[in-house]
Amino acid sequence: DSNQQDIVGASVAASATEVTVTRRSISETSGKQKDPAVIVVGTDYLVAWTDRRNYPVSAGDIYGTRVSGADGTVIDGNGFVIHEGEVSQKEVTLTYDGEKVWAVWREWQDDTWLGEGSLLGGTTFSLGSGGPTVGESFAVDANASTHQQPALVFDDGSLVLTWLDNRAGAGRQDLYSKVIHLDGAGDSDALTEA
């Protein structure tokens, strides 16, 4: 089925004489699932992806699931909602600060990917024994430009986010970054011209 794409992973075990690869299905729900991101959270993994199971209501939402680090078992079935809405989200990136997972994605505004109006949205969530608890979503950068390929890391009490952005003019992509201080010390934006 050309409208079906699933998220799969693999566990790899290596010895001195052989490598064993075991395929693992992460999400096999209806519609397309694509563009996965994965991070380590404690002893487990968290996988997030763009999910089109709600199409045509949304052209893409962000879903995630935990995967056991011990045996590769998918903990949350076909996933839990990280963010969904009437517009489309894609290109999710994740980081973990020791307490919460932070997710940032590219969000489609004004009915076009190619023109003005995408933004970077984000949320936080915790992964307790009772299951994921997702917080409120927030805008990370709402400049009327096209944001692409966000990347996010946690470092020394701050989130560092980078993305490609065309706000300097059509046909030009510059690397932008934002440091979000979790202690409330104030955020900073920076531009690297390419």
Side-chain angles (χ1 to χ4, degrees):
D1 181 356
S2 65
N3 290 321
Q4 184 70 31
Q5 293 176 341
D6 298 320
I7 302 296
V8 296
S11 58
V12 180
S15 70
T17 59
E18 68 179 347
V19 174
T20 303
V21 178
T22 304
R23 181 184 186 274
R24 306 264 184 207
S25 175
I26 307 297
S27 177
E28 292 183 336
T29 191
S30 63
K32 291 181 181 179
Q33 294 84 46
K34 60 182 188 170
D35 303 326
V38 63
I39 59 169
V40 175
V41 178
T43 59
D44 295 327
Y45 302 95
L46 175 71
V47 181
W49 62 89
T50 300
D51 194 300
R52 295 188 64 176
R53 69 181 75 180
N54 296 322
Y55 184 81
V57 174
S58 172
D61 298 315
I62 304 297
Y63 276 71
T65 191
R66 296 168 291 168
V67 177
S68 168
D71 63 9
T73 300
V74 174
I75 297 169
D76 302 301
N78 279 322
F80 60 90
V81 174
I82 295 173
H83 184 76
E84 64 182 358
E86 294 178 16
V87 297
S88 184
Q89 301 85 37
K90 71 179 203 174
E91 296 179 3
V92 64
T93 181
L94 304 165
T95 195
Y96 180 61
D97 70 8
E99 290 182 28
K100 294 182 283 194
V101 174
W102 295 80
V104 171
W105 56 85
R106 177 181 175 198
E107 188 163 292
W108 171 26
Q109 299 288 319
D110 301 328
D111 298 325
T112 179
W113 281 112
L114 302 175
E116 302 300 310
S118 72
L119 64 81
L120 295 175
T123 193
T124 64
F125 52 98
S126 59
L127 298 171
S129 59
T133 304
V134 179
E136 292 293 318
S137 297
F138 54 88
V140 177
D141 187 81
N143 185 285
S145 58
T146 300
H147 304 77
Q148 295 179 341
Q149 301 174 356
L152 179 67
V153 296
F154 174 77
D155 183 48
D156 196 28
S158 298
L159 299 173
V160 180
L161 174 67
T162 62
W163 68 92
L164 293 176
D165 194 304
N166 74 345
R167 72 182 70 180
R172 179 174 170 175
Q173 295 257 326
D174 294 318
L175 180 64
Y176 277 74
S177 65
K178 182 175 220 168
V179 178
I180 303 168
H181 300 284
L182 301 182
D183 63 4
D187 300 340
S188 63
D189 293 314
L191 161 69
T192 302
E193 301 212 8

